[in-house]
């Protein structure tokens, strides 16, 4: 079986610094995918760019806010989200209706399409739709993907979980993951074989070379099938280093082209999400 790698930039629309970095990487053909965050402040600019340049985007499904004080506003204005998308996991778990989640997902998709964008896949901001919070929002995400015939960012193997946790995954967690995979398969949703992103804080990363090595090692260890590697590239933000520096490092890694070079050296085909439209039945659900 062959190895395929999607290199994705998340959070298109997040702010001007994120948009500028992603647009530069797209123009230079250094990434093969991007995910548009429809509820973010600069989302409209991202859609306009994608439309004018005929670039497909993912819908970065989002039901939470990154900041308690500056919450993203819901596009559906449903009852669960009338005060903005929740920052608190407690509010998300105990005060959020699945009906309202479904409506919000649809509105975020419509925002992109109604503004002239083309959606090639769906993924999720902060893993809120993956079942890890105990809610069955993953069913709503799969139903959404099935309705719009979109592949979905969810890994069929457990490697992603092990890398995120930094240890072997207990058997019960693997069974839970496979239960979620089967829910997607039942609905005909195409999914990734593996998923890669760096879970570390900037304090653990320390410097550029450490983060670059993490991603280069991940390319070296790509499994057979389709793997997505997602990063959050951005230009520097004035007076706001800290965790934002990780995004700057990820921009620099992508800008260097080192991931593309390593994939070529290893015989890995770097592709977009269209791989799920064109591949043979080995990659079809």
């Amino acid at each position: 079986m062959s190895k395929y790698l999607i290199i994705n930039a998340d959070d298109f629309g997040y702010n001007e610094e994120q948009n500028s970095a992603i647009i530069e990487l797209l123009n230079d053909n250094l990434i093969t995918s991007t995910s548009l965050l429809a509820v973010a402040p600069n989302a409209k600019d991202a859609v306009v760019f994608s439309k004018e340049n005929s670039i497909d985007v993912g819908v970065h499904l989002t039901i939470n806010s990154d900041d308690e004080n500056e919450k993203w506003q819901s596009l559906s204005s449903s009852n669960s989200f009338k005060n903005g998308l929740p920052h608190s996991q407690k509010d998300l778990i105990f005060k959020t209706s699945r009906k309202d989640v479904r409506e919000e997902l649809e509105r975020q998709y419509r925002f992109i399409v109604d503004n002239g964008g083309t959606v090639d896949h769906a993924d999720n901001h902060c893993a809120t739709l993956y079942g890890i919070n105990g809610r069955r929002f993953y069913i709503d995400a799969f139903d959404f993907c099935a309705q719009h015939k979109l592949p979905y960012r969810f890994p069929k193997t457990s490697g992603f979980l092990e890398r995120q946790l930094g240890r072997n995954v207990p058997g019960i967690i693997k069974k839970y993951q496979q239960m979620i995979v089967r829910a997607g398969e039942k609905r005909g949703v195409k999914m990734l074989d593996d998923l890669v992103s760096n879970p570390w804080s900037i304090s653990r990363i320390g410097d550029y070379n450490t983060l670059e090595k993490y991603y280069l090692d991940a390319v070296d260890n790509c499994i057979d099938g389709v793997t997505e590697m997602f990063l959050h590239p951005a230009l520097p933000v004035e007076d706001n280093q800290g965790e934002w520096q990780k995004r700057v490092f990820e921009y620099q890694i992508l800008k260097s082209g080192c991931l593309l070079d390593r994939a070529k050296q290893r015989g890995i085909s770097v592709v977009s999400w269209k791989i799920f439209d064109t591949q043979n039945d080995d990659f079809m659900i």
Side-chain angles (χ1 to χ4, degrees):
M1 187 181 291
S2 299
K3 297 179 180 181
Y4 299 90
L5 178 64
I6 299 168
I7 301 179
N8 184 85
D10 266 11
D11 290 354
F12 198 17
Y14 193 95
N15 59 17
E16 291 181 4
E17 291 79 10
Q18 197 91 25
N19 279 10
S20 295
I22 291 173
I23 287 171
E24 184 178 340
L25 293 166
L26 287 168
N27 284 337
D28 292 344
N29 296 314
L30 293 169
I31 54 177
T32 60
S33 173
T34 187
S35 303
L36 199 150
L37 210 166
V39 297
N42 290 78
K44 186 66 176 291
D45 293 339
V47 175
V48 169
F49 173 83
S50 69
K51 174 187 176 183
E52 291 178 348
N53 292 274
S54 301
I55 293 173
D56 295 352
V57 298
V59 54
H60 198 47
L61 301 171
T62 305
I63 58 172
N64 71 296
S65 291
D66 285 356
D67 193 313
E68 173 66 36
N69 298 318
E70 297 182 13
K71 291 180 179 178
W72 289 323
Q73 295 304 302
S74 159
L75 298 188
S76 64
S77 300
S78 54
N79 189 58
S80 298
F81 305 129
K82 61 184 178 182
N83 296 318
L85 300 180
H87 177 262
S88 162
Q89 285 298 310
K90 182 177 179 181
D91 287 346
L92 195 61
I93 294 169
F94 296 108
K95 298 182 180 180
T96 303
S97 155
R98 286 182 57 197
K99 177 178 179 294
D100 291 347
V101 167
R102 290 194 294 272
E103 183 178 354
E104 183 64 29
L105 303 188
E106 183 63 25
R107 292 296 184 91
Q108 292 178 18
Y109 172 80
R110 294 309 322 174
F111 171 84
I112 297 174
V113 173
D114 292 347
N115 281 289
T118 301
V119 177
D120 63 1
H121 76 281
D123 51 43
N124 176 218
H125 189 66
C126 294
T128 53
L129 300 174
Y130 290 168
I132 60 176
N133 51 22
R135 297 296 304 274
R136 287 164 57 86
F137 296 145
Y138 61 89
I139 296 294
D140 306 305
F142 282 138
D143 285 344
F144 165 85
C145 289
Q147 177 184 349
H148 295 291
K149 297 181 173 59
L150 296 173
Y152 189 50
R153 176 191 287 167
F154 193 87
K156 292 185 285 187
T157 56
S158 61
F160 177 71
L161 297 176
E162 292 171 352
R163 289 187 294 271
Q164 296 301 102
L165 294 174
R167 62 179 185 274
N168 290 333
V169 176
I172 187 67
I173 300 298
K174 290 182 180 180
K175 288 182 180 179
Y176 185 51
Q177 179 194 16
Q178 288 307 303
M179 180 193 74
I180 295 174
V181 169
R182 287 193 297 273
E185 291 176 337
K186 180 179 179 181
R187 290 161 174 80
V189 177
K190 301 168 189 175
M191 290 168 281
L192 300 162
D193 293 286
D194 200 5
L195 182 61
V196 175
S197 191
N198 181 282
W200 302 341
S201 67
I202 192 64
S203 61
R204 178 175 176 181
I205 293 167
D207 57 28
Y208 171 91
N209 290 335
T210 299
L211 190 59
E212 180 188 59
K213 183 178 185 301
Y214 180 95
Y215 283 115
L216 289 173
D217 288 348
V219 175
D220 289 342
N221 291 298
C222 269
I223 66 172
D224 288 343
V226 182
T227 297
E228 184 198 34
M229 180 178 292
F230 69 93
L231 298 84
H232 302 82
L235 300 181
V237 175
E238 187 176 353
D239 298 327
N240 185 8
Q241 294 306 308
E243 290 303 321
W244 193 262
Q245 184 61 44
K246 179 179 179 180
R247 296 187 180 230
V248 177
F249 283 162
E250 292 191 334
Y251 159 72
Q252 293 168 341
I253 290 168
L254 291 169
K255 183 67 177 174
S256 75
C258 65
L259 303 183
L260 296 174
D261 291 342
R262 184 62 63 89
K264 183 177 181 180
Q265 292 168 10
R266 299 293 183 261
I268 300 168
S269 299
V270 180
V271 297
S272 73
W273 279 88
K274 287 187 174 66
I275 188 71
F276 288 102
D277 295 330
T278 60
Q279 266 303 314
N280 59 36
D281 289 342
D282 288 341
F283 291 97
M284 295 297 186
I285 299 300

